[in-house]
Amino acid sequence: MTVRLLDIGKDLHTRVRKFFDTPLDERATPLEICQAVLQEVEEKVQPLGRGRRVFPYTRLAVRIRPSGNDGSAIDAAFADLDRRILERLEELRCDAPSSLDVTIETLESVPPAWPPDRFFSIDYHRANDARGAKHQAPPLLHITVVKGAATEPAFTFNEPNIAIGRTDEPTDGLGRMRRNRVAFIDVRDGVTETVGRAHARLRFDPTSGSYLLFDDGSSNGTAIVRDGATIPVPRLDPRGVLVRSGDEIQVGRALLRIEIGEAG
């Protein structure tokens, strides 16, 4: 009996996983669209280190593609979405906001920019978001080279996108050039050569008012060192990882220290 129950449990887990991994199509039900919304919200959770996570948004605006389903079916599927999001965050042991405002709008027509396989969109806002947040200037970013040989011992930027890698302007196999704003020199010293030519990048997110760190497909990995804990940055993950002032960024064996100042 026990073995049989285990087999049933494994089969159920496989079917649930397959449900979440299967893209939505024109036959998607309101419930399936709602589950996809919850899945996307879950992907916005950001690691803080020492096993802690945070969801930095307090307002969500969900827009849903019009469909053949009647309004009552959509209302039923999305009822208490804010409560369900908070429950999902609690399951993830995530520091959730004290209050969460979720608005849901079923569109009358499909926006021209939406591809055929897009069934919803979510706009994320923090409590202190201003109406013009998308025009918010990035804060000053001070980067100090702790380990490794770079073109400068320290850098200061007021830019939304800062590429990190070896040499100033490397090119790929197709001849496409990349401009590294934090450029390590091309030497072999046991540390610097572990930095890839197109290793990582820092990108300012005006919605959250924070810098996010992305790994651009490096061979030797990228991580954030915070309070003695190491937070890996997944390779080619489009979500990025939140960076805080005082963090150290490990690119290969090289190390950078980050200080974030006032907005420029």
Side-chain angles (χ1 to χ4, degrees), residues 143-155 164-168 180-197 249 251-256:
I143 301 178
T144 303
V145 180
V146 178
K147 187 185 297 184
T151 56
E152 302 287 343
F155 304 83
I164 303 169
R166 185 157 43 89
T167 73
D168 291 307
N180 286 321
R181 304 292 283 119
V182 177
F184 287 82
I185 62 177
D186 208 357
V187 298
R188 301 188 65 84
D189 57 10
V191 173
T192 307
E193 70 269 23
T194 66
V195 180
R197 297 187 183 276
I249 294 177
V251 284
R253 296 195 190 105
L255 198 63
L256 304 168

Side-chain angles (χ1 to χ4, degrees), residues 69-145:
N69 298 288
D70 60 41
S72 59
I74 294 176
D75 291 342
F78 283 85
D80 298 327
L81 181 61
D82 52 350
R83 177 185 58 80
R84 295 163 71 183
I85 290 173
L86 291 173
E87 289 176 351
R88 178 72 64 89
L89 296 177
E90 183 178 359
E91 292 171 1
L92 296 172
R93 298 182 180 179
C94 172
D95 293 346
S98 56
S99 63
L100 185 65
D101 179 26
V102 180
T103 60
I104 302 168
E105 177 187 6
T106 302
L107 302 174
E108 295 182 359
S109 59
V110 180
W114 282 25
D117 59 350
R118 184 170 187 177
F119 288 83
F120 65 89
S121 71
I122 308 175
D123 292 327
Y124 299 85
H125 304 277
R126 293 170 66 98
N128 58 355
D129 275 353
R131 184 177 295 274
K134 62 181 180 180
H135 302 297
Q136 179 181 348
L140 287 175
L141 183 65
H142 306 282
I143 301 178
T144 303
V145 180

